[in-house]
Amino acid sequence: GWTRKDFNAFVRGCELHGRDNIRDVAGEVEGRSEYEVARYAAAFFERYEQIDNHEKIMRRIEAGEAKIQRRIEIGHTLATKVARSKNPWLHMRINYGAQKGKLYNEEEDRFLVCMTHQLGYGAWDDLREEVRRCWLFRFDWFIKTRTTAELQRRVDVLIRLIEKENAELEEQESHAIKKRPPKSGSKTPSTVAAKRKAEATSALTKGGKRGRR
């Protein structure tokens, strides 16, 4: 049977990886196969309301899944930003607005955005090591001495700026599409309706002429 240790490991796995990622959840439960964890998961989510403190347990799992979804959204945000530049490591511009700040320069911010996109959001230890190894910063003691927590805070600021920029660009593109005139010969609902009306009128006229012969 499943022990309390197995149960806690299962809940932790769901919190870290999401309830649908059975393979990685199984990796958190020592000594249990993926098949065993899949069967246990099916029974657990069908009858979890019978467990004491089930509301607290489900809040933990759902909070973890919300973090996973947020990381996915951040990944899309960074990918969209990076894709707008042919060489983002050198030429990507950060749209600061009124939030430029005085501590980090654009070269440092550009590196943090590109490297976070490459490593994945949350790999803060790896990001710090990449900053320390980067030849661009060999004399930049400010960026080389930032802690993982400080780098995370800066990346979070940059992500919010990029999300705002992406939203504004999407809105501009949406307005541009709405204002764009239809292509010549394209079948919009109005042109299709007009054509059908003309065909119907022509058919009635021909029918009337045949009837008068």
Side-chain angles (χ1 to χ4, degrees):
W2 279 58
T3 64
R4 170 59 64 173
K5 180 182 176 182
D6 293 336
F7 172 77
N8 290 335
F10 169 77
V11 172
R12 179 63 176 161
C14 291
E15 187 179 354
L16 288 174
H17 307 292
R19 72 189 77 183
D20 296 325
N21 189 352
I22 295 297
R23 184 182 64 181
D24 288 347
V25 172
E28 301 290 332
V29 187
E30 187 176 352
R32 297 290 179 178
S33 69
E34 185 175 340
Y35 174 73
E36 288 177 304
V37 173
R39 289 189 61 188
Y40 185 83
F44 172 82
F45 287 109
E46 184 178 342
R47 302 199 296 268
Y48 69 87
E49 292 181 347
Q50 300 173 17
I51 300 172
D52 292 338
N53 297 324
H54 67 270
E55 293 179 350
K56 181 179 179 182
I57 292 168
M58 289 305 297
R59 278 198 299 271
R60 279 181 56 194
I61 293 173
E62 289 166 359
E65 290 174 333
K67 290 180 181 178
I68 294 169
Q69 183 58 37
R70 177 60 179 154
R71 286 200 298 271
I72 293 171
E73 291 171 358
I74 288 172
H76 290 323
T77 294
L78 296 177
T80 300
K81 175 64 174 176
V82 168
R84 282 201 291 267
S85 301
K86 288 185 179 179
N87 190 342
W89 295 88
L90 293 177
H91 302 137
M92 183 176 66
R93 302 300 302 271
I94 307 295
N95 188 2
Y96 293 102
Q99 301 183 44
K100 173 65 173 73
K102 298 178 180 179
L103 296 178
Y104 295 84
N105 61 41
E106 190 166 23
E107 184 177 60
E108 294 164 346
D109 285 342
R110 185 162 45 237
F111 181 89
L112 292 178
V113 169
C114 291
M115 189 55 72
T116 300
H117 172 249
Q118 180 173 305
L119 297 173
Y121 181 85
W124 308 120
D125 288 335
D126 293 337
L127 179 61
R128 183 181 61 178
E129 289 305 310
E130 292 295 339
V131 166
R132 291 178 175 178
R133 284 203 297 256
C134 181
W135 66 271
L136 286 172
F137 307 133
R138 59 193 183 279
F139 303 122
D140 187 343
W141 296 107
F142 171 77
I143 191 71
K144 286 169 71 74
T145 56
R146 294 309 90 195
T147 65
T148 54
E150 289 171 327
L151 292 176
Q152 179 182 354
R153 284 196 294 271
R154 185 57 184 174
V155 169
D156 285 339
V157 168
L158 294 170
I159 287 169
R160 288 193 293 272
L161 290 172
I162 294 170
E163 285 177 328
K164 181 180 178 183
E165 177 189 354
N166 287 351
E168 290 172 351
L169 289 173
E170 287 175 9
E171 187 175 356
Q172 290 172 12
E173 290 171 4
S174 177
H175 285 316
I177 291 172
K178 289 178 181 178
K179 291 181 179 179
R180 191 178 301 161
K183 294 180 180 179
S184 178
S186 63
K187 295 182 178 181
T188 63
S190 58
T191 57
V192 170
K195 184 178 179 183
R196 287 176 178 170
K197 185 176 180 181
E199 289 173 349
T201 303
S202 176
L204 287 171
T205 303
K206 289 178 181 178
K209 287 180 180 179
R210 283 197 296 268
R212 291 195 293 271
R213 286 176 184 172

